[in-house]
Amino acid sequence: MIRIDSKGMGKTHADKTIRVHTNDSNTPEIKLSLSGEIKPFVDLSSSVIRLTGSAGKEIKRIITISPVEGNRFRITGVAPEDGKHLEYELAETTHAGALKYELTVINVKREKGWYKDNFRIRTDSTISPEFGIPVFGFIREP
Amino acid sequence: MGETKHSGWVISCLRQLLTGIFLILFSAGHYGNTFAENRTFPEVDAPSTRYEFSGVFEGQVINHDFLIRNKGEAPLEIIDVKTD
């Protein structure tokens, strides 16, 4: 059996080959290959949330999370792993009959510095029951 | 008389020689056939060596079984398996 784990591959062409060597002198090697297209399970307006700006000023980003054809999920939960420097809100919308979500993320860190976090998005999909969206915060001096 | 005795001895020797040659040839043929019969080979047969998948989302695992069988008379050995 040949196995491909497509986790983290994104939209790409996957190709895996194994070579089997035998004691058949006429066919000492057999090449077995497995290939195909890997589709993204979600369409994100941005794969990373970057919160960059000056301390004391509003730093806000909105990203759109769109389920794709063949994986029409509903979001059942959203939370940052740390959440110390963030406020967030998830809103459900429809566009051309298709369900979409807007995740608004606001920086609450008041002083200069940087941080990282990761939003965990839980869904009712068996294909993508949970996925992450990384957050990077970089706060400059006012 | 002595010549006749000598001829008989020569004929006897020739007979023995011919018998020996026959036995050698027969034995060689016999063992040759036995050797040929024992010379069996494995013969690998893989009906399908390529699998194209579609409709796979990121995060899913793709599994596929390839059949490799032996159509020869001797045991087929998988000596090594390497991935690219």
Side-chain angles (χ1 to χ4, degrees):
Chain A
M1 179 179 20
I2 299 184
R3 165 184 284 223
I4 292 180
D5 185 352
S6 64
K7 192 175 178 182
M9 292 181 95
K11 187 181 179 183
T12 184
H13 181 85
D15 202 330
K16 189 159 186 170
T17 302
I18 67 165
R19 294 168 195 277
V20 179
H21 298 268
T22 76
N23 64 336
D24 179 350
S25 55
N26 292 320
T27 315
E29 182 186 281
I30 305 169
K31 204 170 110 178
L32 305 172
S33 59
L34 199 61
S35 64
E37 296 296 326
I38 307 287
K39 301 186 289 186
F41 57 80
V42 65
D43 182 20
L44 300 173
S45 60
S46 174
S47 58
V48 177
I49 302 167
R50 293 182 199 280
L51 296 164
T52 307
S54 300
K57 291 198 173 176
E58 185 186 62
I59 304 170
K60 181 169 91 172
R61 297 287 179 272
I62 300 170
I63 71 153
T64 308
I65 302 167
S66 309
V68 296
E69 185 69 41
N71 188 34
R72 297 283 186 204
F73 58 80
R74 294 191 88 90
I75 292 179
T76 56
V78 56
E81 285 175 0
D82 182 3
K84 193 173 150 191
H85 303 297
L86 304 171
E87 281 181 358
Y88 61 94
E89 186 181 37
L90 184 72
E92 194 177 289
T93 63
T94 50
H95 183 260
L99 190 64
K100 289 188 176 197
Y101 295 88
E102 281 185 349
L103 178 63
T104 304
V105 186
I106 302 164
N107 166 68
V108 294
K109 184 176 169 63
R110 301 271 175 220
E111 65 283 3
K112 176 190 162 189
W114 67 275
Y115 60 89
K116 60 179 181 177
D117 208 330
N118 189 40
F119 270 101
R120 302 307 305 169
I121 315 289
R122 289 186 302 280
T123 77
D124 62 357
S125 164
T126 53
I127 294 168
S128 54
E130 187 176 300
F131 60 92
I133 306 172
V135 181
F136 293 104
F138 182 69
I139 314 304
R140 293 187 294 265
E141 282 189 70
Chain B
M1 185 74 178
E3 197 175 302
T4 310
K5 196 175 178 181
H6 181 71
S7 298
W9 180 79
V10 169
I11 289 166
S12 174
C13 283
L14 279 172
R15 267 193 194 146
Q16 282 180 29
L17 183 66
L18 285 171
T19 306
I21 289 170
F22 173 77
L23 283 172
I24 288 166
L25 288 175
F26 177 78
S27 301
H30 174 73
Y31 287 111
N33 287 339
T34 307
F35 180 66
E37 282 164 13
N38 286 339
R39 288 186 69 197
T40 55
F41 302 96
E43 188 185 339
V44 68
D45 179 46
S48 166
T49 58
R50 186 163 188 81
Y51 177 69
E52 289 269 351
F53 59 84
S54 61
V56 172
F57 286 104
E58 181 192 352
Q60 290 183 300
V61 175
I62 307 113
N63 289 317
H64 185 71
D65 290 322
F66 288 97
L67 176 68
I68 297 174
R69 60 190 173 199
N70 183 15
K71 289 174 80 180
E73 297 296 321
L76 175 70
E77 290 171 28
I78 303 295
I79 297 163
D80 196 10
V81 177
K82 285 181 180 169
T83 56
D84 281 355

